[in-house]
Amino acid sequence: MLYTRTLKDYVEKLASDQSIPGGGSASALVATLGISLITMVARITSNRKDAKEVGKLKKAIEHLLRLNARAQEIIDEDAKVYKEVMDG
């Protein structure tokens, strides 16, 4: 499982001469990093005393968490599907 590896290990594997992990997996990793940052900002904003629309922010956070979970799954799914295609 690529997702559960250390970041250092993942980056070293990505820079290797092997085709897995590749672009799809790396793109999913970038997506999960971006979604995580957006989630952090939404949580910080929703915790402020003067925050407006807290309910909308909490729904947005729930949606972001689902998106992030899916992006994390894709990190490994991309490698699995690529291997299946290459193995024929």
Side-chain angles (χ1 to χ4, degrees):
M1 302 295 284
L2 293 169
Y3 182 71
T4 58
R5 294 178 181 259
T6 66
L7 185 56
K8 181 181 184 296
D9 182 51
Y10 180 85
V11 171
E12 286 174 358
K13 265 190 133 7
L14 190 61
S16 76
D17 62 352
Q18 298 181 14
S19 58
I20 296 173
S25 175
S27 296
L29 175 61
V30 170
T32 194
L33 292 172
I35 295 165
S36 295
L37 286 169
I38 294 166
T39 304
M40 177 185 67
V41 170
R43 284 181 167 156
I44 290 169
T45 303
S46 70
N47 289 332
R48 292 181 53 143
K49 289 181 183 178
D50 62 341
K52 296 179 181 176
E53 309 292 342
V54 173
K56 288 182 182 179
L57 280 170
K58 291 193 186 276
K59 284 184 182 181
I61 291 167
E62 290 172 12
H63 181 67
L64 287 163
L65 293 173
R66 286 191 301 274
L67 287 175
N68 206 359
R70 183 64 185 125
Q72 292 167 11
E73 291 170 356
I74 293 171
I75 292 170
D76 289 316
E77 282 181 21
D78 175 71
K80 180 183 171 199
V81 170
Y82 182 82
K83 185 174 179 357
E84 289 172 1
V85 169
M86 294 310 291
D87 289 347

